[in-house]
Structures are given as C-alpha cells and as structure tokens.
Amino acid sequence: MPDLDATLTRAAAALAEARSVAVLTGAGVSAESRIPTFREAAAALKQDADEHTDMRALWEEFDPATLATPEAFNANPELVSRWYDWRRLKCLAAEPNAGHVALAVIERAITDRGGAFCLATQNVDGLHARAGSVNIIELHGSILSWRCTRTGAVELLGREPMLRHPMESRDGGLLRPNVVWFGESLPPGAMESAAEAAASCDVFLTVGTSSVVYPAAGLTEIAHVSGATTIEVNPDSTPATAIVDHQLQGPSGELLPRLVALAFPG
Ligand code: OAD
C-alpha cells in the first residue's frame, strides 16, 4: 500500500483544484467526539440500568439492538423514548472534533471561490452543524428534534432530560425521535440531492463509514462512475476501499486536518 504521506499529497492536490466537493460521513467521524455507537451505547445504558433497578426489568425483556424500529417504539414506547433521550443528551454533551472542523474548512474554501459543496451524513448527532458545516443533508434524520406520531409535527427539545417517557406531543400524539428507523424511508428528497451532488462533484470524500448500509453507501459508487476523484478516510478498509482513488487509512480527526493543511495552505 502506498505510504500515507504520498497518498495525502495526491489527495490534497485533487482537493486543491476542485470546483465542487461532495462528502459522505458515518459514525466514525464522531468517534473522536466520544459519542457511543449504537452497540456501545446499548452496553453503557445497560450498565446504567443495572444501577437503576426500574430499568433492569425492561432490559430482560428487550434486545437493545432492536430498539431502532417503529415496531420497538409501538411495543415499548417508554424504553425506546428513554433510550433515545439518553443518546440525545450524550450528543448534546459531546463536542465536534478536528475532523468535523476540517470538513467545515473545506466547505468554506470551496464556496469562497464559487464552488459547490455538499455534506451528506448518516449521523444524527448534529455535530457537523455545530462545527460550522452549512450545506448538510441528514440522510438518517436528527436525534435532536422529535416529532409527533399523529401529525409528524417536529418539536425541538431543550438540553434537559425529558420529564417522562414517552412525552406527549402538542397535537395529542406521542413524541418520537426524528431519526430514520430500520424499515423506514429516508427524508423526502435527501437521497436524490445527495446522489446529484455525488454525480456532479470533482472530488468525493467518504469519511468514517463502513459503507455497508444502502442507499447511502451507494454514493461513493455514483461518484466513482461519474469520474470524480474519490478519497476514503477510515482506519479500516471497507467495501468502498476497492473503488476509491486514495485510501487515507487512519482516524479522521487526525487525517482530515492534515489533508486540509496540504490542500489549502495559509
Ligand atoms: P458504522 O459503525 O457501521 O461504521 C463506522 C466506521 O467508522 C467503521 O468503518 C470504522 O472503521 C470507522 N471509524 C472508527 N473510528 C474512526 C475514526 N476515528 N475516524 C474515521 N473512521 C472511523 O457506522 P456507519 O457506517 O455510519 O443506520 O453506519 C451506517 C448506518 O448503519 C447508520 O447510520 C445506522 C446503522 O444501521 C440507521 O440508523 C438507519
């Protein structure tokens, strides 16, 4: 495998010349912000539950890995609401890391010279926006806003834990997290906009995603067949590694700032 410095230099040269950039991110870009992934969170919350006997009984009956479905919410709205509120507060307590900030710097560098930039994320944690990114497509929704099960009306929440689980909405329904659950459709138009950006960009970055969940994972393939220079940032290889032009193997919090420093010096 070519050495990392040489690959960084080549990737930065492409980024420096780009007129349009599209990005796909996944949970890995938030790993250095210490946001637990779905499975880590399950173990952590179970440990919390062990300290609160009222939750213990619920865990016996429920497999945490199946919480992210409409069926789970309908079957046990209290547990699913408690679980997502716990993760919501974790996201609010987290800080964007240097990888998030570097992606916002790329957006400013490209748009300041009249270019196009689009960041499609599978993450629901809101950290890209807090790092300064602007043109964001949240392919899997947001854990920071919840919506009414009856009308779909979205309600923004404060920074405090919910008072009860589940909360009633203003419209007489229940509040559920405004995220895409397994088996649900992506937000209307989200994938179309992301695919359009991937098909028309000069440079495509895929950062911190295992590239196994479709349709999001298909964006790298769209960029590749459309002739974009494709760059992957991930400590591990993924199914996308075989088709990208430049594999930057390492943590995004370290490699994205190095890429930006080379592509946009000064
Ligand atoms: P995954 O947990 O599947 O993959 C995270 C990727 O990040 C892995 O490839 C890790 O190697 C990589 N990674 C870990 N630490 C990293 C770091 N510091 N810097 C860069 N990369 C790092 O998360 P996603 O690919 O985002 O869907 O998962 C995609 C979707 O699967 C999620 O959105 C969710 C899940 O089911 C829904 O909830 C609908």
Side-chain angles (χ1 to χ4, degrees):
M1 179 182 74
D3 84 310
L4 180 59
D5 288 344
T7 308
L8 266 166
T9 302
R10 283 195 294 274
L15 193 54
E17 300 303 313
R19 298 295 304 164
S20 61
V21 172
V23 183
L24 170 66
T25 64
V29 80
S30 295
E32 290 154 276
S33 296
R34 303 181 52 72
I35 288 186
T37 64
F38 196 80
R39 291 144 198 87
E40 284 164 6
L45 188 56
K46 186 165 176 20
Q47 187 200 331
D48 283 2
D50 288 346
E51 290 152 23
H52 308 295
T53 50
D54 60 327
M55 281 289 283
R56 187 182 298 141
L58 286 170
W59 283 114
E60 258 82 64
E61 152 211 359
F62 222 87
D63 169 7
T66 61
L67 290 176
T69 67
E71 294 76 19
F73 184 77
N74 295 335
N76 200 327
E78 187 214 344
L79 177 64
V80 175
S81 173
R82 192 187 295 275
W83 160 263
Y84 273 92
D85 193 34
W86 184 82
R87 288 185 70 204
R88 177 180 74 90
L89 297 170
K90 283 276 182 192
C91 292
L92 287 171
E95 289 300 325
N97 64 61
H100 294 107
V101 173
L103 290 171
V105 172
I106 293 173
E107 177 171 13
R108 279 194 297 276
I110 298 296
T111 52
D112 282 355
R113 62 189 184 199
F117 180 92
C118 173
L119 189 156
T121 185
Q122 300 168 96
N123 301 338
V124 298
D125 56 36
L127 290 184
H128 284 304
R130 287 174 54 197
S133 290
V134 177
N135 191 9
I136 302 167
I137 300 173
E138 291 183 314
L139 295 170
H140 292 167
S142 170
I143 203 168
L144 304 182
S145 61
W146 289 40
R147 68 172 191 258
C148 174
T149 52
R150 202 171 67 78
T151 64
V154 172
E155 297 185 18
L156 281 178
L157 305 167
R159 303 181 65 84
E160 299 306 312
M162 288 177 169
L163 299 175
R164 63 191 149 282
H165 294 282
M167 292 272 284
E168 289 81 29
S169 75
R170 295 194 192 101
D171 301 333
L174 297 177
L175 280 185
R176 55 153 286 179
N178 202 20
V179 300
V180 175
W181 277 333
F182 294 106
E184 293 186 322
S185 308
L186 271 59
M191 193 56 206
E192 292 78 0
S193 301
E196 193 180 314
S200 58
C201 67
D202 302 326
V203 170
F204 185 87
L205 286 146
T206 171
V207 182
T209 180
S210 55
S211 295
V212 294
V213 174
Y214 283 79
L219 291 171
T220 307
E221 292 156 27
I222 292 171
H224 172 68
V225 299
S226 304
T229 298
T230 49
I231 302 165
E232 180 176 47
V233 183
N234 192 320
D236 299 340
S237 293
T238 73
T241 305
I243 63 170
V244 298
D245 297 301
H246 307 296
Q247 179 192 12
L248 301 178
Q249 200 155 8
S252 49
E254 177 204 321
L255 295 186
L256 284 175
R258 288 179 62 184
L259 181 68
V260 166
L262 287 169
F264 309 111

